Amino acid sequence: MNLLKEKILEHLKSNPGKFVSGARLSVSFGLTRAAVWKQVQALRQEGYAISAAPRKGYRLEEEPDRLDEKTLKLHKFLYYSAVESTNATIRALAEQGSAGGTVVIAEEQLQGRGRRGRYWFSPPGKGLWFSLLLRPTGIAPSAAAPITLVAAAALGQALRRETGLGVTLKWPNDLLLNGKKIGGILTELKGEPDRVEYLIIGAGLNINQSETDFPPELHKTAGSLSPAAGCVFDRTALVLPLIAGLKEACSIFFQQGFSRFHGAWIELNETLGKEVTITWPGGTVRGRALDLDETGAVLLRDRAGKVHRINYGEIV
Ligand code: BTN
């Protein structure tokens, strides 16, 4: 935030419930009245509700919910108020040599990315958008593939534990609540055929959105935690155990493989035991999802009794 905006905000905050005149603000900060108005407009665009009354001035009515930057920095997370995509930011950092374990978290993503090149809606004040950089040693890209499922299971378990809500999983990377998607994982990898150089796990979680906060095209499919819980969550307090759980699960996975997470998937999933259609670029198959194998692939039996092993795609 620029210094003038910050000073005006501090001034309004130190006069709770009171109007502060535009004249006083302009004298205090050596600004014209028009320049004060411009900074107030900029604060409004960041979500601060500031009322204005003729001859009275400006009054701060409500502050937007913001992640607590100080707490996040204490945990060594790299916090940004807005980025195009936390995956893109962390990729640039990875290319500059950042260490495994680096976490980038943003209040807002301007071009949040979903799977298959989709857009991920990431407004400020409502959700959690973060990416984790991993540099596993001695692992091939093919062996690292189930990490997306591991991340989904770890975040699903941590959300259940922290919120008490019945979050479930939909293969391969969706987190659901009451049938609506509340989160997803986007994994990116750089490596050679036999060696991962780095992995990026990007997670998007809808936390405090109300139904009307989503654009119309997402109304049917997207959900968030807050309406179901009947409360607004402290996103900073929530993200700490989520990231801790995610990091721990990833390190267990690198030592022990996916089998350690099979049980969690069976417990949380919405997929197995059901008739589903799975599509992937170039194909589609319908049948009963039987199980996940040791690589996280779905075993699906079609009507003719043939069992397919599907390691990439999505359930429609
Ligand atoms: C999906 O399509 O289900 C995956 C969505 C992943 C969104 C997260 S938000 C943080 C990270 N940065 C991005 O641009 N995308 C991921």
Side-chain angles (χ1 to χ4, degrees):
M1 199 184 281
N2 79 42
L3 204 59
L4 283 172
K5 213 163 53 177
E6 212 164 316
K7 281 183 171 169
I8 290 176
L9 181 59
E10 280 316 311
H11 211 90
L12 294 174
K13 276 188 189 174
S14 59
N15 288 280
K18 290 188 195 143
F19 278 96
V20 178
S21 77
R24 198 168 123 200
L25 289 170
S26 55
V27 170
S28 301
F29 304 121
L31 294 171
T32 62
R33 300 281 285 272
V36 169
W37 181 82
K38 210 172 137 195
Q39 300 301 331
V40 168
Q41 281 299 96
L43 286 166
R44 282 176 174 155
Q45 266 168 18
E46 285 178 24
Y48 291 90
I50 299 171
S51 57
R55 288 182 297 281
K56 285 182 168 176
Y58 301 103
R59 185 170 67 188
L60 181 61
E61 307 291 352
E62 206 181 315
E63 292 184 50
D65 182 17
R66 286 287 176 264
L67 289 162
D68 181 2
E69 189 173 347
K70 278 191 195 134
T71 304
L72 297 177
K73 285 187 170 162
L74 267 177
H75 284 80
K76 308 243 180 313
F77 300 155
L78 303 175
Y79 168 82
Y80 297 81
S81 53
V83 293
E84 292 210 340
S85 148
T86 55
N87 271 29
T89 302
I90 213 164
R91 179 181 277 265
L93 293 170
E95 290 296 323
Q96 289 159 26
S98 283
T102 301
V103 172
V104 165
I105 177 162
E107 184 63 61
E108 176 181 15
Q109 294 189 118
L110 304 171
Q111 278 175 36
R113 305 181 195 154
R115 289 179 85 221
R116 295 193 182 186
R118 293 190 192 114
Y119 167 69
W120 183 262
F121 178 60
S122 331
K126 305 285 177 177
L128 290 171
W129 331 118
F130 58 88
S131 300
L132 167 65
L133 175 65
L134 297 167
R135 291 190 185 273
T137 48
I139 185 162
S142 55
I147 192 109
T148 305
L149 283 85
V150 169
L155 293 174
Q157 283 179 320
L159 282 173
R160 281 179 162 233
R161 197 176 54 235
E162 298 300 323
T163 68
L165 295 168
V167 173
T168 56
L169 305 178
K170 181 173 138 190
W171 186 87
N173 75 327
D174 289 357
L175 290 105
L176 307 182
L177 183 63
N178 302 328
K180 287 192 164 181
K181 179 159 172 167
I182 57 107
I185 318 284
L186 180 66
T187 305
E188 297 181 47
L189 181 149
K190 183 176 179 195
E192 292 154 27
D194 61 341
R195 187 184 77 92
V196 170
E197 184 183 331
Y198 60 77
L199 270 163
I200 293 168
I201 299 183
L205 302 169
N206 299 329
I207 308 293
N208 287 330
Q209 286 93 338
S210 63
E211 279 178 25
T212 51
D213 285 329
F214 292 102
E217 66 273 18
L218 295 180
H219 277 179
K220 275 199 185 135
T221 52
S224 83
L225 302 182
S226 181
C231 68
V232 172
F233 290 98
D234 176 340
R235 290 174 302 135
T236 309
L238 190 56
V239 80
L240 303 177
L242 294 186
I243 291 178
L246 178 62
K247 282 185 169 182
E248 193 192 348
C250 292
S251 85
I252 293 174
F253 167 70
F254 291 132
Q255 287 159 28
Q256 300 178 26
F258 179 68
S259 55
R260 185 59 206 282
F261 298 89
H262 187 263
W265 258 89
I266 301 297
E267 197 190 325
L268 300 191
N269 93 93
E270 293 253 337
T271 314
L272 304 178
K274 290 190 180 152
E275 281 286 315
V276 294
T277 301
I278 302 185
T279 65
W280 62 93
T284 177
V285 63
R286 180 157 183 80
R288 182 169 296 272
L290 303 173
D291 201 354
L292 298 180
D293 74 6
E294 70 288 350
T295 67
V298 177
L299 302 174
L300 181 140
R301 190 174 54 223
D302 67 18
R303 290 228 171 106
K306 185 178 169 198
V307 176
H308 302 252
R309 182 181 169 275
I310 302 156
N311 58 13
Y312 181 78
E314 56 189 69
I315 295 175
V316 288

